[in-house]
Amino acid sequence: MGTFLCWMTVVLVFAASMTANACPPSDLAALQAFKTALHEPYLGIFNSWTGTDCCNKWYGITCDPSTKRVADIALRGESEDPIFQKAKRTGYMTGSLSPALCKLDRLSNIIIADWKGISGIIPPCITALPFLRHLDLVGNQISGQIPADIGKLTQLTVLNLADNKLTGSIPKSIANLSSLMHLDLRNNMISGNIPQNIGKLRMLSRALLSNNQISGQIPNTIAHVYRLSDLDLSLNRLSGTIPESLGKMAVLATLNLDGNMISGSLPASLMKSGISILNVSKNAIEGNIPDVFGPRSYFMVMDMSYNKLKGPIPKSITSASYIGHLDLSYNHLCGAIPAGSWFDHLEASSFTNNDCLCGKPLRAC
């Protein structure tokens, strides 16, 4: 009898220790509800989601080692994981994002990316996750609007909602994301204006908003985002002029404004800035190209094609440190193309369809 009791005690202690190391029942139930709302027919990534311990080898799930609370969901539809290599295909998943996600209130990272078929909306309750740092839902079919109170996620450093079907405007509360470093909303159907208070995002280094239906003017306040190195507002419906202040930003290296309805003249500040990729093509920009190039002008790409620029190509362009790809085609420029050593590699297509340009590589003047 004593041996039996001793054995039972060992079993109970072992069971208790296993339970203590397992994820809480509330997290388990939330993940099961999340899984139920999705259908993944080809890879079997949810086959490992069995048993009562979601911290133990559940694909894509990571738990905090001390609290055993679910900390990360990382499910990518494109990966070098052996599951993908064995199937010899990328992932495909349908269904929607269950609001049960919001019950995982210790989540730090949510990555549910590139599954191509996940639809429905972003659960509004997701803005109540106080520790969320990384929200990546790129490459799905998610519709509806960005939650209006997204600004509650004050720990968020990455917000990637690109390649979906989001509509509505960019919430003004986005300016409260004081830790945000990477914002990617490309390839959606977002409309409305860029919030005037976007200048409050002082940690932001990349703002990628291209291929939407964003209208209105480029806010001057963007220049207050002093860490910004990459600004892509191309393929929208922006109007008005280019703020002079963009050319005075300390680390801005890429500025893509092509495919909008921007008018007015080119700010001189852009020609002598630290920008190395400048694309303002396919707009309605007019006036002369500012004659202010100098040794600080270093452009890997400068595309001003399909605008209403007039006058000569400024002579100071030959004093630029470097211009790799230059496109001034489809404007109203006139006069002799300046002779410069790095102009020698340019083809006629860089200057074609202007009013009266001449000189190498076009016809002689």
Side-chain angles (χ1 to χ4, degrees):
M1 188 68 178
T3 303
F4 176 76
L5 286 173
C6 184
W7 181 80
M8 282 299 293
T9 301
V10 170
V11 169
L12 289 170
V13 168
F14 177 75
S17 67
M18 287 295 287
T19 304
N21 288 325
C23 67
S26 58
D27 282 12
L28 179 66
L31 285 176
Q32 287 171 335
F34 166 76
K35 172 187 169 184
T36 299
L38 295 168
H39 177 58
E40 191 282 294
Y42 300 113
L43 301 173
I45 66 161
F46 291 129
N47 290 349
S48 63
W49 287 33
T50 59
T52 58
D53 185 4
C54 56
C55 297
N56 185 22
K57 298 181 180 177
W58 280 34
Y59 185 89
I61 301 300
T62 306
C63 295
D64 183 290
S66 56
T67 64
K68 301 302 174 185
R69 298 295 308 278
V70 175
D72 302 329
I73 298 176
L75 300 173
R76 296 186 183 276
E78 297 178 3
S79 169
E80 295 181 2
D81 189 277
I83 289 178
F84 293 81
Q85 293 180 351
K86 185 178 179 181
K88 296 181 180 178
R89 60 164 295 137
T90 57
Y92 181 77
M93 195 186 301
T94 56
S96 60
L97 300 178
S98 169
L101 267 177
C102 308
K103 295 179 180 177
L104 299 167
D105 57 12
R106 303 296 295 190
L107 274 174
S108 178
N109 298 302
I110 298 177
I111 302 171
I112 304 167
D114 297 314
W115 291 103
K116 306 174 187 70
I118 296 177
S119 57
I121 66 169
I122 301 170
C125 60
I126 212 165
T127 63
L129 295 174
F131 302 102
L132 197 62
R133 293 175 52 81
H134 192 141
L135 179 58
D136 185 348
L137 304 176
V138 63
N140 291 294
Q141 300 284 328
I142 296 168
S143 58
Q145 300 190 19
I146 301 170
D149 56 353
I150 192 81
K152 288 182 178 178
L153 298 173
T154 54
Q155 302 296 311
L156 205 64
T157 60
V158 173
L159 178 59
N160 188 351
L161 305 176
D163 303 324
N164 279 289
K165 293 185 174 179
L166 294 169
T167 54
S169 57
I170 301 171
K172 289 181 180 178
S173 75
I174 204 165
N176 296 328
L177 299 177
S178 55
S179 301
L180 194 66
M181 292 187 276
H182 180 98
L183 174 64
D184 193 347
L185 304 178
R186 289 175 292 181
N187 304 322
N188 279 287
M189 294 178 282
I190 295 167
S191 57
N193 296 354
I194 300 171
Q196 286 290 332
N197 59 0
I198 197 166
K200 291 172 63 180
L201 297 175
R202 298 301 171 86
M203 300 297 289
L204 194 66
S205 63
R206 302 189 80 201
L208 311 176
L209 309 180
S210 66
N211 198 21
N212 280 287
Q213 298 166 17
I214 300 168
S215 57
Q217 299 193 23
I218 301 169
N220 273 306
T221 54
I222 285 182
H224 299 158
V225 188
Y226 57 83
R227 293 173 183 261
L228 193 64
S229 64
D230 188 351
L231 178 60
D232 188 352
L233 303 177
S234 61
L235 302 173
N236 278 291
R237 298 174 182 176
L238 294 167
S239 57
T241 60
I242 301 172
E244 177 90 18
S245 55
L246 291 185
K248 298 175 181 176
M249 296 179 67
V251 295
L252 188 64
T254 300
L255 178 61
N256 288 323
L257 302 177
D258 49 299
N260 281 287
M261 297 181 286
I262 295 167
S263 58
S265 58
L266 276 173
S269 61
L270 296 182
M271 306 303 106
K272 49 186 179 180
S273 66
I275 295 170
S276 59
I277 297 176
L278 175 66
N279 191 343
V280 295
S281 66
K282 299 181 177 67
N283 280 289
I285 299 168
E286 54 196 12
N288 290 17
I289 300 172
D291 193 4
V292 293
F293 290 86
R296 191 162 181 243
S297 308
Y298 186 102
F299 291 96
M300 290 187 287
V301 174
M302 179 186 283
D303 191 342
M304 301 178 184
S305 61
Y306 293 91
N307 277 290
K308 299 178 180 180
L309 296 168
K310 63 180 184 179
I313 299 173
K315 288 188 170 62
S316 66
I317 200 167
T318 59
S319 65
S321 293
Y322 179 75
I323 296 184
H325 172 79
L326 175 68
D327 194 344
L328 300 176
S329 63
Y330 293 89
N331 278 288
H332 299 290
L333 300 171
C334 196
I337 296 170
S341 58
W342 45 257
F343 264 32
D344 293 343
H345 72 278
L346 297 176
E347 298 180 359
S349 58
S350 293
F351 306 100
T352 189
N353 285 281
N354 276 285
D355 288 2
C356 46
L357 283 179
C358 60
K360 188 180 178 182
L362 301 180
R363 60 176 176 81
C365 293

